[in-house]
Amino acid sequence: MSDRVCHTVFSVHDYDLAATLSSGQAFRWEHREGAWDGVVDRQWVRLRSTPGQILAQTSAPVEDWFWLTDYLRTEENLEPVLASFPDDVPLRAAVNACRGLRLLRQDPWECLASFILSSTKQIVQIRQIVALLCRRFGEPVTVPGGTGEIFSFPMPERIARCTEAELRECKMGFRAPYLRGTAQKIAESEVDLNCLGTMPVDAARAELLRLPGVGRKIADCVLLFAYGFQEAFPVDVWVMKALRQLYFPRRRVNRKRLDKFTATYFGPNAGYAQQYLFHYMRTKAKSKPNPGIET
DNA sequence: AACCAGGACACAA
DNA sequence: TTGTGTCATGGT
């Protein structure tokens, strides 16, 4: 009901809401009429960006906004993060091109499930698959106009009850048994997503790797985008392209050496650097000549 | 119209 | 340990 619509304002610095919500870490935000609509903690939210602040609107009264500021990480100071990056040409270009790009703190299950569905898919397709999955198996979420259009992300228990054929109807193809198998292991408490956040990063990664359809890359995405392990460095085809052409020009490098490089060279916020490189490669540097690492 | 996409997995050598 | 085929779908 519109009489229960609730508004608030967060003051922020160096926060590029559009870049953050469209940079391939979350897949449910929709840009319409200059605002961003999404679902956080089973609540519908509309976000609007103005200089120095983010305006938030919900469909129900809110007393404590922590669930949203925690998700957006509005309180994080970007300066020390950027200052911890190595001072090289590619990263300078990436930071200058999309300064204000942030990492979110997402729900672990939604993040995990989304990235299981992400393998060898373009971001537009991942968004489509996730939308179908929510519409089919999620629960209605209250929006200002009522209900029926927006759905929550389905819980593991719900996905675990799906047949593989039902999941394939959401266009996820060979990823269906992966998603189902992972949902079952979580529903059966074989893996407890709630306890990963307090573990050392290597132990948390090892737990995620026990899940079907979860390899190093997807595990690192979840560690970075849901649990806030900022040293996690997911290497997908875009980041691999950046690493090879910007940092290892015409040099063959094995996985072990690559891991050592990403774990040391980019510093304690390597995951942040990764996200800047990813977004930069995917948007700004589509087919430009190689900037190179020198100087 | 080929090529490729925020990969993981089984299997070969 | 490193390389290859396979999986499913659709955007560019």
Side-chain angles (χ1 to χ4, degrees), chain A residues 89-106:
Chain A
V89 170
L91 261 185
R92 274 206 298 272
V95 170
N96 287 335
C98 36
R99 188 185 181 94
L101 173 62
R102 301 295 192 119
L103 292 178
L104 300 169
R105 189 189 316 283
Q106 301 179 58

Side-chain angles (χ1 to χ4, degrees), chain A residues 269-284:
Chain A
N269 301 298
Y272 245 108
Q274 173 276 154
Q275 194 62 12
Y276 273 89
L277 288 174
F278 174 78
H279 194 245
Y280 179 63
M281 291 296 288
R282 222 175 58 80
T283 59
K284 315 292 199 293

Side-chain angles (χ1 to χ4, degrees), chain A residues 178-190:
Chain A
Y178 293 154
L179 180 63
R180 185 166 187 271
T182 287
Q184 288 175 339
K185 278 203 168 187
I186 290 167
E188 310 283 328
S189 298
E190 282 189 53

